[in-house]
Amino acid sequence: VAELSYEEESSPAYGEQAAQTWTYAYVPASQPDHIDFSGPCPKCVHASAYHWPLSLVREDFLALQETTKLVQLEDAPAPQSESVLVRCQCSVSHPGNSGEKGCGRYWTLLVAGQ
Ligand SMILES: [Zn+2]
Ligand SMILES: [Zn+2]
């Protein structure tokens, strides 16, 4: 669907569809600093991938511990599943994309905590 116009929009249906078809992995597995998502875009159907850096989350977490001093890092509770905003990053140039990658659609995926 290369003729599909670039448009920044979302729909719960995109997220539901992506949840069935997309995969993700914490990378590197030993000490992850990002999550790699990949799968077909629910709208334009092109192969797409998304890179989600964990560093911001982690720094916030450490800053919180710094101020609370409640627990050692080892005793920290496992992070709960979190929702990640994924954008279509397909390599096809959609009309009206103004240099942006993908078709502009975005959706939310739920990932299990590491
Ligand atoms: Zn596309
Ligand atoms: Zn797309």
Side-chain angles (χ1 to χ4, degrees), residues 41 43-46 88 90 94 102-105:
C41 172
K43 181 68 179 183
C44 71
V45 204
H46 300 132
C88 175
C90 77
H94 287 277
C103 67
R105 272 69 183 186

Side-chain angles (χ1 to χ4, degrees), residues 53-110:
L54 293 167
S55 53
L56 286 177
V57 176
R58 186 154 300 170
E59 276 159 25
D60 283 352
F61 184 64
L62 289 174
L64 188 70
Q65 293 214 322
E66 203 47 33
T67 50
T68 57
K69 301 275 186 205
L70 286 177
V71 287
Q72 298 296 315
L73 194 55
E74 291 80 14
D75 300 328
Q80 300 298 306
S81 60
E82 58 177 317
S83 52
V84 174
L85 190 70
V86 175
R87 297 177 60 89
C88 175
Q89 297 271 282
C90 77
S91 54
V92 175
S93 182
H94 287 277
N97 63 3
S98 316
E100 295 289 329
K101 280 187 81 175
C103 67
R105 272 69 183 186
Y106 56 94
W107 57 91
T108 301
L109 282 177
L110 207 61

